[in-house]
Amino acid sequence: MTEHVNTGFERGTDGPKVILAGVDGSESSLRAAAYAAGLARRQNALLALVYVQPVLAAGVSLGAPVADTTEEIAQGLVAEIRESAERLKGIYEVRWEFHTFRGDPYAGLVSAAEELTADAVVVGASEQAGHRIVGSVAVRLVKAGRWPVTVVP
């Protein structure tokens, strides 16, 4: 008789253990966070709220004042997301963590999902008109085919 030994992480076997929600302060991302919180509560999973802080391209020379302003905006957004997360926590009584990653939204969410061993990813639909034609972060995550992805309008 062979004994089964758990040799590592296996996604989706007993329902999700970690549900990742990408948040950026947009209305659709906050709706995605609320939806993910409900999923996490029902599945008794950990809700990982992830904000990907944009990094200015190396070739862009903007000078210190613009870079400082960008950082201030990012910090303000992080504070707003933390505040929203606190409200969600009270409503849903769900275990949650807040993480920030740096980079472009797609690469940041992929890194976060890998590092946090996410079972599912929840994102808001893009609110930018061009993304509906060219492809959004959500579409790229779905095409990657590595996690179940839920796109919340």
Side-chain angles (χ1 to χ4, degrees):
M1 181 169 156
T2 358
E3 185 179 319
H4 181 270
V5 177
N6 188 356
T7 56
F9 177 70
E10 189 176 348
R11 276 191 185 84
T13 51
D14 286 326
K17 297 291 181 226
V18 178
I19 298 173
L20 184 151
V23 288
D24 63 6
S26 67
E27 286 299 316
S28 68
S29 79
L30 296 177
R31 285 192 298 271
Y35 181 88
L39 287 177
R41 180 183 53 79
R42 288 187 296 279
Q43 296 288 333
N44 193 28
L46 174 68
L47 172 63
L49 296 170
V50 174
Y51 167 60
V52 180
Q53 186 174 337
V55 176
L56 298 174
V60 179
S61 86
L62 291 172
V66 175
D68 289 347
T69 302
T70 304
E71 183 64 25
E72 283 174 28
I73 291 168
Q75 291 306 317
L77 186 53
V78 168
E80 180 184 326
I81 291 167
R82 281 188 192 278
E83 187 179 304
S84 296
E86 285 293 339
R87 285 197 303 271
L88 285 175
K89 182 181 180 184
I91 293 166
Y92 290 104
E93 294 178 2
V94 66
R95 292 177 304 123
W96 67 280
E97 298 173 349
F98 181 84
H99 301 271
T100 57
F101 285 76
R102 295 180 72 91
D104 74 87
Y106 171 75
L109 289 174
V110 167
S111 294
E114 287 174 350
E115 186 174 314
L116 301 169
T117 57
D119 294 293
V121 177
V122 180
V123 292
S126 174
E127 295 178 358
Q128 297 179 10
H131 280 181
R132 291 191 190 99
I133 298 161
V134 178
S136 64
V137 170
V139 170
R140 292 175 67 193
L141 287 166
V142 169
K143 286 183 177 178
R146 295 164 69 185
W147 311 271
V149 177
T150 302
V151 182
V152 177

